Amino acid sequence: MRVLLIGANGYLGRFVADRLLADPAVQLTALGRGDDADVRFDLASGSPGALTRFLDAVHPGVVINCAGAIRGGARELTRHNTVAVATVCEALRRSGCGARLVQIGCGAEYGPSQPGSSTAEDAVPRPGGPYGVSKLAATELVLGSGLDAVVLRVFSPAGPGTPAGSPLGRLAEALRRAMQSGDGELKLGGLGVQRDFVDVRDVARAVHAASLSAAQGVINIGSGRAVRLRDAAAVLARVAGYGGALHELDGPPGPVRPSIGHPRGESEHATPVAYPYPDGCGSWQQADVRTARDRLGWRPRINLEESLADIWMEAACRI
């Protein structure tokens, strides 16, 4: 199977590339803006005609789009997340290759959800920020393209390679600095939100499964379980061996205690959030992942503690 992977040098793309390269039946070609790509092409500025000519020459059976931007102003996000996908869809429509398209979407397309609920694919998307809007527009382009296509809405990816600017990356960096300076107390804010974290390697498995399947439409990719960020912080501290106290600036008084995997009462869902999480999804997000199980045969395998341990291992290398 000849696969064209767009965005192979990005956070998700690197793990998707590793997963595909491990499959002897896959012949992989990487397209991107970096020097390490097999073919250099900027989707945000390149023409659909140029991409069509490349598709006709390579003739892939599957095109996987992991490219995009997660930060920046509305104009930049639209250019990299929406215009770029319009270019891919138009090029595939013009090409004679007949390739299947696997588009990486995100849970931010849904926007805020009711605390305690699980968001299924039939939920009406109401993105709460420009990032979610730009990704939702891309999804709508794919779904309306008439192509053989599937959109994987990935919730909150975690694990090795987590960007230092992400919430989990910032937590690990704060711990690293505290340990480096010998601080016996670490004060943290904005930990009341609850998110559905899924390991990036499990995401890569889902992309691989989607490329081999005939599933179309939207499919959620997550763990199916919301975890409070303060719980993730406590587990990070434990795996790091941090002996100091963690204090949450905007949460309940006292030290932060690890409770990942422990049941929480319904009253905890209503905890107010002092600082907005950057995805515009409010205080709670949890994926309904039954469609991924039923249509892709996919389930998450890597638990959050392992993901956090890998995040810390990379952060610790900077000490």
Side-chain angles (χ1 to χ4, degrees):
M1 180 175 66
R2 191 182 298 270
V3 176
L4 175 64
L5 176 60
I6 304 171
N9 60 343
Y11 173 38
L12 295 179
R14 292 195 299 271
F15 289 92
V16 172
D18 289 344
R19 177 75 186 185
L20 294 173
L21 288 170
D23 184 346
V26 170
Q27 183 178 349
L28 183 65
T29 300
L31 182 147
R33 291 180 291 168
D35 293 335
D36 53 347
D38 296 321
V39 178
R40 292 191 65 180
F41 189 87
D42 187 345
L43 289 177
S45 59
S47 71
L51 184 57
T52 299
R53 289 190 291 273
F54 175 73
L55 290 171
D56 287 339
V58 175
H59 214 78
V62 178
V63 173
I64 300 171
N65 183 26
C66 294
I70 59 174
R71 284 182 292 275
R75 178 178 296 180
E76 183 180 5
L77 291 168
T78 299
R79 189 163 67 91
H80 290 288
N81 294 338
T82 309
V83 175
V85 172
T87 297
V88 172
C89 290
E90 181 60 25
L92 282 169
R93 279 195 297 262
R94 296 182 188 181
S95 172
C97 68
R100 171 173 172 77
L101 174 61
V102 180
Q103 165 71 14
I104 306 304
C106 68
E109 296 175 40
Y110 290 116
S113 56
Q114 184 67 29
S117 67
S118 292
T119 302
E121 290 84 357
D122 60 358
V124 177
R126 295 186 176 91
Y131 172 64
V133 169
S134 68
K135 293 294 287 185
L136 177 60
T139 292
E140 294 299 333
L141 285 170
V142 171
L143 297 180
S145 67
L147 300 169
D148 174 14
V150 63
V151 178
L152 302 183
R153 275 190 178 143
V154 177
F155 276 60
S156 297
T162 293
S166 69
L168 291 180
R170 289 198 300 269
L171 283 176
E173 179 63 15
L175 272 172
R176 183 193 71 80
R177 290 179 178 175
M179 295 178 72
Q180 191 172 29
S181 60
D183 290 343
E185 184 180 57
L186 181 58
K187 295 180 179 179
L188 302 166
L191 302 184
V193 297
Q194 296 177 75
R195 286 295 180 268
D196 187 325
F197 295 105
V198 58
D199 193 273
V200 66
R201 292 158 291 194
D202 280 334
V203 174
R205 288 178 41 247
V207 173
H208 188 200
S211 69
L212 297 173
S213 78
Q216 296 186 341
V218 174
I219 299 178
N220 290 340
I221 302 298
S223 68
R225 183 171 62 92
V227 173
R228 200 180 298 274
L229 197 56
R230 77 166 64 101
D231 296 344
V235 173
L236 260 175
R238 177 164 56 79
V239 300
Y242 177 64
L246 299 184
H247 291 282
E248 186 177 355
L249 298 177
D250 55 323
V256 177
R257 295 178 296 276
S259 59
I260 287 182
H262 292 247
R264 292 186 293 270
E266 286 299 316
S267 61
E268 287 191 288
H269 297 323
T271 301
V273 181
Y275 304 103
Y277 201 82
D279 58 8
C281 292
S283 64
W284 170 277
Q285 197 173 52
Q286 178 174 283
D288 182 328
V289 293
R290 289 175 293 180
T291 301
R293 177 196 64 199
D294 296 341
R295 300 178 64 189
L296 300 181
W298 177 90
R299 289 180 174 84
R301 294 177 181 172
I302 300 173
N303 61 43
L304 182 55
E305 184 163 349
E306 182 176 344
S307 303
L308 293 171
D310 289 333
I311 291 173
W312 171 250
M313 185 176 297
E314 292 182 344
C317 292
R318 298 193 291 270
I319 292 180

